[in-house]
Amino acid sequence: QVQLVESGGGSVQPGGSLRLSCKASGRTFSGYTMAWFRQAPGKEREFVAAIGWSSGGPYYADFIAGRFTMSRDNGKNTMSLQMNSLKPEDTAVYYCAADRRVATWAIARMPGSYSYWGQGTQVTVSS
């Protein structure tokens, strides 16, 4: 089966950093757009960042304000999200996602655009 597995979550203090990784297995993701979303308790799933297969992006949500950097390694079938200057409001479960059909950045920010999802990794930012 196709699997997307996130790792790298944990607990950090405000201002700290984490690097999340997403490993895909079961297929290669040639031509797929990949993305990160997050969901806090009681909140809707929220777009974080997206990146295309070979060009375009990364595209980031406005709230990031230069704090996060997304990248992908197509040869290893992985992607990552480097998160710096973390804030308590960044606390959420972070999910990786992928889909071949994402054609524009406007579409890329919508959770319904993605058919493949990981199970999520918890990020907690607190003192």
Side-chain angles (χ1 to χ4, degrees), residues 62-91:
D62 290 341
F63 70 80
I64 290 176
R67 298 182 297 124
F68 296 179
T69 302
M70 182 182 182
S71 62
R72 69 187 294 172
D73 187 328
N74 295 330
K76 296 181 179 179
N77 225 20
T78 61
M79 64 172 181
S80 65
L81 183 69
Q82 177 66 46
M83 304 188 295
N84 301 319
S85 301
L86 284 162
K87 305 174 181 179
E89 52 263 44
D90 294 320
T91 296

Side-chain angles (χ1 to χ4, degrees), residues 1 12 35 37 44 75 98 104 122:
Q1 291 191 23
V12 298
F37 289 79
E44 294 183 345
T104 69
Q122 178 71 49

Side-chain angles (χ1 to χ4, degrees), residues 1-20:
Q1 291 191 23
V2 175
Q3 296 283 330
L4 295 176
V5 180
E6 302 92 341
S7 63
S11 297
V12 298
Q13 294 182 323
S17 297
L18 285 172
R19 186 176 180 87
L20 306 183

